[in-house]
Amino acid sequence: MENEIGEVLVTEEEIRAKVKELAKRISEDYKDKELLLVGILKGAFMFLADLSRELTIPVQFDFIAVSSYGSISKSSGVVRILKDLEADIEGRHVLIVEDVIDTGLTLNYLIRNFKVRRPATLEICALLSKPEVQRVSLNIKYLGFSIPAKFVVGYGLDFAEKYRNLKHVATLKTKVATGR
Ligand code: PRP
């Protein structure tokens, strides 16, 4: 399977160091608050698991699963919720944890959707961002790495559901498209 994997963009060591750095900042920023971590399935599961284990504050977890309506309607920014949050987030301190921001449309939709539910605070923590292809402005409070607009896999990110379990983030030789 490794034959399909191209250049390593972010190594396991770089991810580990960045996860610790982000977790330290988050632990300080939320030290007097009750934090709810919201993972966007599926891609964020690995980042969320590692990040949360480095936090020194008590946290709770929830998950949301979303899917765009296919490539054409993806550009409309409309997102289908496959599995909604279980928690009522009104009055809660919510930190959305995402693996990658491409166009930003998914998070833009979710931020608007979550704000209607009136959380006390709402912030974004993303491992990866591709500034070249981002189409909407987002306030990403906690960001791991800005990467080029290449199709990447590993550390939660897939190609046809494969490669999510790689310990690093790499390009895919066989895919040149930028969008996920
Ligand atoms: C990826 C990623 C984000 C979204 C980013 O999810 O996890 O949720 O795409 O794209 P955008 O910024 O252009 O909206 P994907 O649809 O690949 O689902 P997955 O997490 O289940 O792999």
Side-chain angles (χ1 to χ4, degrees), residues 116-180:
V116 175
R117 311 183 198 198
R118 298 192 299 171
T121 62
L122 181 61
E123 301 290 353
I124 298 170
C125 177
L127 179 70
L128 306 168
S129 149
K130 299 176 186 171
E132 291 162 49
V133 289
Q134 199 173 318
R135 292 177 40 194
V136 285
S137 141
L138 289 169
N139 179 20
I140 311 167
K141 185 159 187 186
Y142 307 98
L143 175 64
F145 304 92
S146 291
I147 59 168
K150 294 179 176 172
F151 192 93
V152 289
V153 295
Y155 202 69
L157 286 80
D158 75 307
F159 172 55
E161 295 299 328
K162 292 186 293 183
Y163 309 123
R164 292 192 196 273
N165 59 321
L166 295 180
K167 294 176 181 172
H168 54 268
V169 173
T171 60
L172 204 64
K173 280 182 196 160
T174 48
K175 188 126 169 48
V176 289
T178 55
R180 294 201 62 75

Side-chain angles (χ1 to χ4, degrees), residues 3-179:
N3 286 344
E4 270 190 307
I5 305 298
E7 173 198 2
V8 175
L9 287 188
V10 192
T11 66
E12 183 183 353
E13 291 72 28
E14 287 169 330
I15 292 172
R16 198 178 301 133
K18 186 63 76 176
V19 163
K20 282 189 177 164
E21 180 192 317
L22 291 172
K24 188 163 181 280
R25 279 179 56 203
I26 294 166
S27 298
E28 282 164 10
D29 293 351
Y30 291 91
K31 64 175 182 289
D32 301 319
K33 301 189 172 84
E34 286 193 6
L35 179 60
L36 177 68
L37 296 172
V38 170
I40 316 290
L41 297 172
K42 301 176 189 167
F45 79 97
M46 197 168 291
F47 179 41
L48 179 65
D50 285 348
L51 181 76
S52 62
R53 276 179 289 192
E54 295 294 336
L55 294 173
T56 54
I57 52 170
V59 288
Q60 294 183 16
F61 295 85
D62 206 346
F63 298 90
I64 188 164
V66 296
S67 156
S68 59
Y69 282 98
S71 54
I72 294 168
S73 35
K74 181 159 186 175
S75 58
S76 70
V78 178
V79 168
R80 186 159 57 112
I81 295 181
L82 303 176
K83 180 216 169 291
D84 203 352
L85 298 176
E86 288 174 18
D88 177 0
I89 61 171
E90 183 171 354
R92 307 284 303 271
H93 296 283
V94 176
L95 180 59
I96 298 178
V97 179
E98 179 62 293
D99 53 342
V100 63
I101 298 170
D102 281 75
T103 62
L105 290 169
T106 302
L107 267 181
N108 190 49
Y109 175 87
L110 285 178
I111 290 283
R112 279 188 282 135
N113 181 299
F114 282 15
K115 273 187 178 163
V116 175
R117 311 183 198 198
R118 298 192 299 171
T121 62
L122 181 61
E123 301 290 353
I124 298 170
C125 177
L127 179 70
L128 306 168
S129 149
K130 299 176 186 171
E132 291 162 49
V133 289
Q134 199 173 318
R135 292 177 40 194
V136 285
S137 141
L138 289 169
N139 179 20
I140 311 167
K141 185 159 187 186
Y142 307 98
L143 175 64
F145 304 92
S146 291
I147 59 168
K150 294 179 176 172
F151 192 93
V152 289
V153 295
Y155 202 69
L157 286 80
D158 75 307
F159 172 55
E161 295 299 328
K162 292 186 293 183
Y163 309 123
R164 292 192 196 273
N165 59 321
L166 295 180
K167 294 176 181 172
H168 54 268
V169 173
T171 60
L172 204 64
K173 280 182 196 160
T174 48
K175 188 126 169 48
V176 289
T178 55

